[in-house]
Amino acid sequence: MAGGLEPHLEALRGELRGPAVLAVLVALIAVAITFLIWRFVQGRRSSRKAVLLLGLCDAGKTLLFARLLSGRYHDTQTSITDSSAVYRVSQDKSTNVTLIDLPGHESLRLQFLERFKAAARAIVFVVDSVAFQREVKDVAEFLYQVLVDSTVLRNAPALLIACNKQDVTMAKSAKLIQQQLEKELNTLRVTRSAAPTILDGSATGGPAQLGKKGKDFDFSQLPMKVEFVECSARGSKGEEGEADLEGLEKWLAKVA
C-alpha cells in the first residue's frame, strides 16, 4: 500500500517545488512587504499631528489662528514667536490636530519652519489677497523655499493656499492667485537652479527640482496635494461679523 502511494507522493513533492508554487510564494512575500511599508508610512503620518500656518507678515495668520480656536475676533500684532493650540474638528470632537502659527517676518520664518516642519501633517500657506499683486514675488519666494525643502518633499504634507481677506472689494480671486503663483514659481525654478544647497543646508549639489523638468510649473506636479480656498478671518462686517472660514474648516476636517 505504502509502495503504491510513493509515486503519487513524489509527484506531489515535485509540484510543490514547481514554478507555480514559487510564484505564489513570491506574491505572498510581495504582499507582506507592501503591508509592512504601508503600516510604516501610516505610523509616520499618524505621528505628525501639526498643521503649520505660514505666510508673510500681515497676511492674517494670527487672526485666522484665533478665529479657528475661539470663533471670536481678536486684535493681533506681528508675531515674533510661534503659538500653538489643539484644534478640534467640529464634526468629530475626538479628532484634533495641533495648529501652530509661525512668524512671517523674513528674518524669522525659515528658522521656525526648520523647527516644526518634521511634525507637519499639513501646511496652510496664508496669502493676503488684497496685497497679493504687490507682494507676489515675496510670496512666491517663501513658498518656493517651503516646496523645495527636503523634509517637506519627503513627508509631502497636504498643502492649502488660503486666500485671505476676501471681504475686501479689491481682493484677488483664488484662481488668479494660483495662476500668478505658478508663473512666479516657474521663474524662480530657473533663477535658483544654480543654488548650492536647499533649505535645510544639506550638501546636495543643487536645489531640489520643483515640478517636472522641461514643463512649465503647475501645482499638480508636486508630491503633495495642493488646494486653494478663499476665506476671510475678519468677515464682511469687520470686528462684529463672523469670519468666513467654511472652506478652511472643511479642509482641516479632511486632513485631521
Side-chain angles (χ1 to χ4, degrees):
M1 184 70 177
L5 289 175
E6 188 61 32
H8 299 290
L9 292 173
E10 185 59 35
L12 181 59
R13 292 191 197 99
E15 289 180 7
L16 291 175
R17 291 194 296 266
V21 175
L22 181 61
V24 171
L25 288 174
V26 170
L28 289 173
I29 291 171
V31 169
I33 291 173
T34 301
F35 176 74
L36 289 173
I37 292 173
W38 178 83
R39 286 292 300 271
F40 175 73
V41 171
Q42 289 297 107
R44 287 188 60 187
R45 183 180 184 276
S46 64
S47 68
R48 300 196 306 271
K49 295 285 288 182
V51 176
L52 308 185
L53 299 180
L54 307 179
L56 304 187
C57 283
D58 300 321
K61 299 185 306 302
T62 302
L63 183 54
L64 273 176
F65 177 78
R67 283 284 207 179
L68 286 168
L69 295 172
S70 69
R72 296 189 297 273
Y73 179 90
H74 294 274
D75 287 323
T76 62
Q77 57 187 7
T78 301
S79 303
I80 59 172
T81 188
D82 60 281
S83 299
S84 63
V86 173
Y87 172 78
R88 301 190 184 282
V89 177
S90 58
Q91 293 91 331
D92 182 358
K93 296 298 183 181
S94 65
T95 303
N96 62 76
V97 293
T98 302
L99 288 180
I100 307 179
D101 175 28
L102 303 186
H105 193 279
E106 186 177 4
S107 64
L108 297 172
R109 58 196 183 211
L110 292 184
Q111 76 179 63
F112 279 91
L113 175 62
E114 183 70 22
R115 184 182 303 176
F116 293 104
K117 63 186 181 182
R121 169 173 292 194
I123 293 173
V124 178
F125 193 97
V126 184
V127 174
D128 183 336
S129 303
V130 179
F132 178 73
Q133 204 68 48
R134 183 177 69 251
E135 298 178 341
V136 59
K137 292 186 182 298
D138 292 334
V139 172
E141 183 173 352
F142 184 22
L143 185 56
Y144 176 89
Q145 291 172 314
V146 174
L147 294 176
V148 298
D149 178 84
S150 59
T151 301
V152 174
L153 285 172
R154 181 173 62 251
N155 292 340
L159 174 63
L160 182 74
I161 311 295
C163 305
N164 193 26
K165 304 186 182 182
Q166 289 292 319
D167 55 292
V168 181
T169 305
M170 299 301 292
K172 300 298 183 291
S173 69
K175 184 176 181 180
L176 184 145
I177 288 172
Q178 177 177 350
Q179 291 171 345
Q180 293 208 12
L181 278 178
E182 287 177 338
K183 183 178 178 181
E184 286 295 329
L185 288 167
N186 191 60
T187 301
L188 278 170
R189 177 172 62 174
V190 176
T191 58
R192 298 295 180 86
S193 60
T197 59
I198 56 178
L199 179 60
D200 62 4
S202 302
T204 62
Q209 175 67 37
L210 184 68
K212 295 182 179 179
K213 191 174 182 180
K215 292 187 176 182
D216 288 343
F217 173 79
D218 66 69
F219 285 102
S220 67
Q221 299 167 6
L222 295 173
M224 69 283 289
K225 185 174 183 180
V226 183
E227 298 180 59
F228 284 72
V229 298
E230 295 181 354
C231 62
S232 173
R234 189 177 180 88
S236 59
K237 296 183 180 179
E239 298 178 17
E240 302 302 322
E242 292 185 1
D244 179 10
L245 302 179
E246 183 180 358
L248 175 55
E249 289 171 333
K250 285 182 178 179
W251 183 84
L252 286 169
K254 185 168 58 175
V255 301

